[in-house]
Amino acid sequence: MLDDFLVRATLAGLGVVLAAAPLGCFVVWRRMAFFGAATAHAAVLGVALSLALSMSIFVGVLAVSLLMAVTVSLLSDRGYAMDTLLGVMAHSSLAFGLVAVSFLSDVRIDLMAYLFGDILAVGRGDLAIIWGGSLLVLGLTLWRWQALLLTTVNADLAYAEGLDPSRERLILTLALAIVVAVAIKVVGVLLIAALLIIPAATARPFSRTPERMAMAAAGLGALAVLGGMWGSWQWDTPTGPTIVCVSATLFALLAGLARSLPGRHRAV
């Protein structure tokens, strides 16, 4: 069954959504949308380093993403504004990555595949990495769910409960870095943030609890993957962008529906 490239591509998309959905909820609640985009931009530098050192793309992207997550988390505790840090690091790492790629004259690289994804080229090894990373992130999120939720709602209350908000923020940023590393093959650098944010934002008006919002986001993300795969097959469009287009269409349709419903609910 895994010899069918469409099956592998669909499983890869569902694997990414499994991890991205709950993290996307925290991104929406904490207003960290720019962090996802910034980490994704840094992934270009990871791609360049991987090719220069002849190592796995996943390893290089994960290393750079984790380094950026840790750096932003540490510097934000020293008085730097988060949006300023992300702006500096996102654009700097993207620029350095693109310059580094230009020096790789002896390496053939399809930059578009890394910018917008190449889900149809996912192999068995890629599938193992995607699902392994996604299950790791999902397990970490479930383990720290209450702590992450409490620090998101009220940092002072978290302190009173013996939790360290800075540590929980670091855990969240590390999990986001892993998602970026596994998602780059599916939707690419420029669309990773969309896969994190749009399903969660779509699910928010219809969710009474955080847990329901996370599950609804996962369902909407899975629907976007399946719809994007079908649309790409039918109309011969780029698969990664088509998945994001379907997700955005769902957001637009359900946002209009949410406005017409009395007594709308928001999880957080």
Side-chain angles (χ1 to χ4, degrees):
M1 182 181 70
L2 293 182
D3 289 333
D4 189 337
F5 72 97
L6 285 176
V7 174
R8 291 197 302 269
T10 303
L11 290 176
L14 294 176
V16 170
V17 165
L18 182 68
L23 288 184
C25 294
F26 285 107
V27 168
V28 170
W29 295 331
R30 290 174 175 247
R31 299 181 180 179
M32 291 175 62
F34 195 21
F35 179 84
T39 307
H41 288 168
V44 175
L45 180 58
V47 171
L49 292 176
S50 300
L51 295 174
L53 300 175
S54 300
M55 62 182 185
S56 168
I57 297 293
F58 172 78
V59 173
V61 171
L62 179 60
V64 172
S65 299
L66 289 175
L67 178 62
M68 180 171 178
V70 172
T71 302
V72 169
S73 183
L74 292 177
L75 290 179
S76 62
D77 291 332
R78 298 187 179 183
Y80 292 94
M82 178 68 78
D83 60 341
T84 302
L85 281 174
L86 291 175
V88 170
M89 298 193 68
H91 301 302
S92 299
S93 57
L94 178 60
F96 276 112
L98 293 175
V99 169
V101 167
S102 70
F103 283 106
L104 301 175
S105 57
D106 57 336
V107 178
R108 294 187 63 185
I109 175 174
D110 183 5
L111 194 57
M112 295 294 288
Y114 293 108
L115 292 178
F116 298 103
D118 193 10
I119 189 174
L120 298 180
V122 168
R124 290 175 178 240
D126 297 320
L127 200 56
I129 290 173
I130 289 171
W131 273 91
S134 295
L135 291 175
L136 174 63
V137 169
L138 184 61
L140 181 63
T141 305
L142 291 175
W143 174 48
R144 303 302 303 171
W145 178 263
Q146 292 299 329
L148 288 169
L149 192 59
L150 185 57
T151 54
T152 298
V153 174
N154 192 314
D156 293 331
L157 182 58
Y159 270 121
E161 292 291 330
L163 297 173
D164 183 358
S166 297
R167 182 188 62 190
E168 301 305 324
R169 184 176 64 246
L170 178 60
I171 291 173
L172 179 61
T173 54
L174 292 177
L176 284 169
I178 297 174
V179 169
V180 168
V182 301
I184 191 171
K185 188 79 173 181
V186 176
V187 290
V189 167
L190 299 182
L191 301 177
I192 291 173
L195 203 59
L196 278 167
I197 298 165
I198 297 177
T202 306
R204 193 176 192 183
F206 302 94
S207 305
R208 291 176 177 267
T209 66
E211 291 78 13
R212 288 186 180 181
M213 178 172 165
M215 288 187 289
L220 289 166
L223 185 60
V225 168
L226 296 175
M229 291 293 300
W230 179 84
S232 176
W233 178 260
Q234 286 292 114
W235 300 307
D236 193 25
T237 54
T239 309
T242 304
I243 291 173
V244 176
C245 286
V246 172
S247 186
T249 301
L250 289 172
F251 173 79
L253 292 174
L254 293 178
L257 177 61
R259 288 183 180 181
S260 65
L261 293 177
R264 288 180 295 163
H265 301 282
R266 288 174 57 173
V268 175

